[in-house]
Every structure is written in C-alpha cells, then in structure tokens.
Amino acid sequence: MQNTFLLLLEQQNNEEDEEDLQHSLLILSALVCGVLDNENERARRRNPSRLYLTRPQLMPYPRFESPWIRLWEGQNDRAFITTMGFDVQTFRFILEGRGHFAELWNNTPIPRVDVSNFGAPRIGGCSLDAAGALGLVLHYIGSAILESQLQQIFAIMPSVLSRYLEFSLGILLTVLQKMEEAKITLPSSVEKYKELSSLITDRHSLLEGAFASIDGLSLPVQVSDDPEIENATYNGWKTDHRITNVLMFSPKGVLLTASC
C-alpha cells in the first residue's frame, strides 16, 4: 500500500514537472515571437519607403517563370526592340557563337568574396542563364528603368541584381570590343570617304564633299548620388536627368562616331 502511494506521488510529481516544462516552453516561444515581431516592426518603421523587393514579393523560380521568360520564349522582334533596342537576330548574334556573351558567361565564375575566382562556374545554380543575363543588362542600359522594376521583370533579389549587372556589363563590353560588327570607327582610307560621298551626291547632287550626317540624341539616365554628376546630367528644359549624345551616320546607315 505504501509502495503504491509512493508510485502515485512520483507519477504526479513527474506530470507536474512536465506541465511546468511545457508551460515554460510556451512562455519562451511567446517571448521569441514577440521579439521577432518587434524587430520586424522596427525594421518596417526604419524603411517606410524601401525601394527594393524581397523574395516573398517576387516570382519563386526566375529561370522558369518570370516576365523575362515570357518575352524570351516569344522571340518577337517588336518586343525585343521595344525593351532592349535589338531584334531577335541581333540579340542572338551577341549571345551565341565563339567568344560571344554566352560562352563567357558560362565559363567565368561570378566574382564573390566567399567563392574562388579560379573555380568552375556553377551554371545550374545561377538565378539567370546567359540569355537572361544579357537581357538584364540590355534592359538596364537601354532605359532609365528602376532597379525594383528590373527585379519584377527578372524575379531576382537586390543583391543578385547588383552582382549580375556588374558582371554582365563587363562581359558585354569585352564581347563588343572584340566584335568587328560592333566597331564604331571613321573610314580608314580616302577611297572609303569617296565611296560614301558618292552615295550622297547620287541622291543630292549639290552636297559635294559630304560623307555622313549627324544628329543629337538625348537619353534619360538614373539620378547619380554624386552631386557633381547629378548637376551635370540635369536637363532644365526636360526637367529630367539626361545625357545628350551627338551621333554621326554614314549614308549606309552605319554609326561612324559618337560623343556625349
């Protein structure tokens, strides 16, 4: 009888200890949730006008589902020219081929502080493939689009966007510098000047000695954080930040030189 009483007493004590432990865990969980909610609220108050998006606000799989994927799969010239300034054929010419954009993208690791620059690139682990990276950089340099809008189009986070833009700009510059078709240069001989001049005089007989025409182009740019650059790019007439370019074209429609 006494042994039974002791067993019941021990069982009751164990149950009370377990209830106390569960009660303590519930209190601890509530405290943790309260701290996290408080931190999130403080972060929200510190950033009332945050100009970037985070993963929950973006489409989950940027390599398979995004506005860019729809544009790329459509292969429509008008859509490509509207958003990136090139038709599909020209885009693919820059992208594909030996020494072109895709080859450099696929064989060069993206620089990161926690990754060796001499390791093999993890192509399958990238948020964008080569076509997406080229599309990203052409969207960026072809307009004054906000980075938050680029995030929506390509479904990538701010840190990925900044890293990919810097990396892709370097690749594109390398490719275009080596591409004969992309060179902007004045005629290299007197014979070529005469050839261009004859094309003009055949149509306008009084324009002797002319070999090209010039035109101005005002392009919108993002507002720089540097006060001097910001002031230099502000256009009072347009009430916007712009860079004015002067372009020279040959009668063949080829760009000969440009200045800004």
Side-chain angles (χ1 to χ4, degrees), residues 207-218:
L207 293 178
E208 297 180 358
F211 67 92
S213 59
I214 63 173
D215 195 7
L217 178 64
S218 179

Side-chain angles (χ1 to χ4, degrees), residues 8-26:
L8 291 174
L9 182 61
E10 183 179 358
Q11 183 177 1
Q12 182 178 358
N13 289 335
N14 290 336
E15 290 177 353
E16 289 177 354
D17 290 342
E18 186 176 350
E19 289 179 358
D20 290 341
L21 178 60
Q22 291 178 352
H23 185 65
S24 299
L25 289 175
L26 288 174

Side-chain angles (χ1 to χ4, degrees), residues 11-178:
Q11 183 177 1
Q12 182 178 358
N13 289 335
N14 290 336
E15 290 177 353
E16 289 177 354
D17 290 342
E18 186 176 350
E19 289 179 358
D20 290 341
L21 178 60
Q22 291 178 352
H23 185 65
S24 299
L25 289 175
L26 288 174
I27 293 175
L28 180 60
S29 299
L31 288 173
V32 170
C33 291
V35 170
L36 291 176
D37 289 342
N38 186 53
E39 288 295 324
N40 291 334
E41 180 64 19
R42 289 175 60 190
R44 186 186 66 80
R45 291 179 179 178
R46 285 197 304 266
N47 301 285
S49 58
R50 187 175 63 188
L51 299 179
Y52 61 88
L53 304 174
T54 55
R55 175 51 60 194
Q57 290 90 49
L58 299 170
M59 302 180 78
Y61 306 110
R63 291 192 66 153
F64 304 103
E65 184 183 13
S66 69
W68 158 253
I69 294 297
R70 179 64 61 87
L71 177 66
W72 171 246
E73 291 177 346
Q75 296 289 291
N76 181 273
D77 281 334
R78 179 177 295 179
F80 270 57
I81 293 172
T82 300
T83 56
M84 296 177 286
F86 293 109
D87 60 16
V88 175
Q89 182 180 359
T90 306
F91 184 95
R92 285 188 170 275
F93 179 74
I94 298 173
L95 177 68
E96 301 165 351
R98 184 174 179 81
H100 289 198
F101 191 94
E103 181 177 294
L104 295 183
W105 173 269
N106 292 333
N107 292 282
T108 309
I110 300 174
R112 292 185 55 165
V113 295
D114 56 344
V115 176
S116 171
N117 292 331
F118 302 100
R122 296 175 60 248
I123 302 174
C126 295
S127 298
L128 298 176
D129 59 10
L134 179 57
L136 172 66
V137 73
L138 291 180
H139 273 79
Y140 177 74
I141 64 178
S143 67
I145 190 170
L146 297 174
E147 291 190 2
S148 60
Q149 294 171 321
L150 288 174
Q151 283 187 257
Q152 289 179 299
I153 295 171
F154 292 89
I156 53 179
M157 296 176 62
S159 57
V160 177
L161 175 66
S162 300
R163 189 181 306 120
Y164 281 19
L165 274 178
E166 183 177 359
F167 184 58
S168 301
L169 282 168
I171 290 180
L172 182 60
L173 178 60
T174 300
V175 170
L176 294 181
Q177 285 177 332
K178 297 179 179 179

